[in-house]
């Protein structure tokens, strides 16, 4: 699990009525992923945001739109990743006005990497930038903690990713159909939720292609059950 680097502190209550739960900053102990399929990209994430052992938000949206067909999956400090994606959205908007066309996914990845690397001693953020553009088609870039731009056919991140590397490596294949990629992402995130205490809630997916953007929500009682002997 990615933490904010500070020990968990508890407020044990007082005459002011403060509740006895952890008071450290919210963090996205999380599972995020993105995969390229034949013609587009599927991104997926769980929805749990935690502050220590306290679940601050059980339905967070960790897949953030930064341009028409470019999204960012966020893991790490909730505040840091929200600030980074806000800046990225601003810069991409100005960049597209200068170009008079939509920016590329690669440009978005390098912009957010510059922000992250320049402030690496002050930020706790791991990102996946993915989307579709007319120059390169579908693209996925991993921006790890501390910076770096790594193009990949699939990428996973967050605390839950360590539980599903074997599943993802064994089941990924090139040129999947859209339906195969969507099922692959939902199964992987569901497995991570089952094993990782810092991942949970529901599953959000975003499918991006030349045809547009398609969002899907899988509620907690509808998650795929492919582990535990199912």
């Amino acid at each position: 699990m990615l933490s904010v680097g500070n020990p968990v502190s508890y407020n044990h209550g007082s005459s002011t009525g403060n509740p006895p739960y952890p008071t450290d900053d919210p963090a996205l102990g999380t599972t995020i992923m993105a995969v390229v399929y034949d013609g587009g990209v599927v991104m997926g994430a769980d929805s749990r945001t935690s502050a220590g052992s306290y679940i601050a938000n059980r339905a967070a949206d960790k897949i953030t739109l930064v341009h028409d067909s470019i999204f960012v999956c966020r893991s790490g400090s909730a505040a840091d990743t929200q600030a980074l994606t806000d800046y990225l959205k601003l810069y991409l908007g100005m960049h597209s006005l200068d170009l008079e066309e939509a920016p590329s996914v690669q440009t978005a990845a390098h912009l957010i990497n510059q922000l992250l690397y320049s402030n690496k001693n002050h930020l706790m953020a791991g990102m996946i930038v993915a989307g579709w553009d007319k120059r390169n088609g579908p693209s996925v870039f991993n921006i790890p903690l501390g910076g770096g731009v790594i193009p990949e056919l699939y990428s996973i991140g967050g605390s839950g990713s360590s539980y599903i590397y074997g599943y993802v490596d064994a089941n990924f294949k090139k040129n999947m159909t859209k339906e195969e990629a969507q099922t692959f992402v939902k199964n992987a995130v569901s497995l991570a939720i089952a094993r990782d205490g810092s991942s949970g809630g529901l599953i959000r997916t975003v499918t991006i292609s030349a045809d547009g953007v398609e969002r899907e929500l899988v509620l907690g009682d509808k998650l795929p059950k492919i582990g535990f002997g199912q």
Side-chain angles (χ1 to χ4, degrees), residues 16 50 71 74 87-88 94 121 137 164 166 171 175 178 213:
T16 61
S50 56
F71 286 77
R74 304 179 292 114
Y87 276 116
L88 178 61
M94 293 189 295
N121 294 326
I164 58 172
N171 289 275
N175 299 318
K178 181 175 79 170
V213 176

Side-chain angles (χ1 to χ4, degrees), residues 35-43 68-71 102-109 129-141 151-153 175 207-212:
V35 57
V36 175
Y37 70 88
D38 185 17
V41 172
V42 179
M43 307 177 76
D68 294 345
S69 58
I70 305 174
F71 286 77
S104 68
V105 182
Q106 185 177 29
T107 296
V129 180
W132 184 93
D133 62 71
K134 65 181 183 181
R135 180 179 301 173
N136 302 308
S139 304
V140 170
F141 293 91
E152 297 181 316
L153 292 177
N175 299 318
T207 303
I208 313 145
S209 67
D211 298 325

Side-chain angles (χ1 to χ4, degrees), residues 111-213:
L111 274 172
I112 201 165
N113 173 64
Q114 186 174 10
L115 291 168
L116 182 57
Y117 183 77
S118 299
N119 300 277
K120 62 183 177 180
N121 294 326
H122 308 287
L123 298 174
M124 179 72 72
M127 326 281 274
I128 299 174
V129 180
W132 184 93
D133 62 71
K134 65 181 183 181
R135 180 179 301 173
N136 302 308
S139 304
V140 170
F141 293 91
N142 181 26
I143 317 296
L145 195 69
V149 179
I150 306 169
E152 297 181 316
L153 292 177
Y154 66 91
S155 180
I156 58 178
S159 59
S161 64
S162 59
Y163 295 90
I164 58 172
Y165 270 103
Y167 174 83
V168 171
D169 289 343
N171 289 275
F172 171 79
K173 59 182 181 181
K174 293 182 179 180
N175 299 318
M176 287 188 285
T177 65
K178 181 175 79 170
E179 292 74 20
E180 287 175 332
Q182 290 171 334
T183 299
F184 174 62
V185 168
K186 286 184 281 189
N187 286 346
V189 177
S190 180
L191 282 171
I193 287 174
R195 295 292 186 183
D196 177 32
S198 296
S199 299
L202 45 86
I203 295 175
R204 299 181 191 273
T205 67
V206 176
T207 303
I208 313 145
S209 67
D211 298 325
V213 176

Side-chain angles (χ1 to χ4, degrees), residues 57-123:
N57 188 344
R58 63 181 181 177
D61 188 355
K62 304 176 185 178
I63 309 176
T64 303
L65 172 71
V66 293
H67 207 268
D68 294 345
S69 58
I70 305 174
F71 286 77
V72 175
C73 279
R74 304 179 292 114
S75 68
S77 163
D80 291 351
T81 58
Q82 286 172 355
L84 285 168
T85 51
D86 284 347
Y87 276 116
L88 178 61
K89 189 173 183 177
L90 172 65
Y91 292 155
L92 287 179
M94 293 189 295
H95 185 59
S96 65
L97 290 175
D98 289 339
L99 293 177
E100 297 185 346
E101 64 179 18
S104 68
V105 182
Q106 185 177 29
T107 296
H110 281 277
L111 274 172
I112 201 165
N113 173 64
Q114 186 174 10
L115 291 168
L116 182 57
Y117 183 77
S118 299
N119 300 277
K120 62 183 177 180
N121 294 326
H122 308 287
L123 298 174

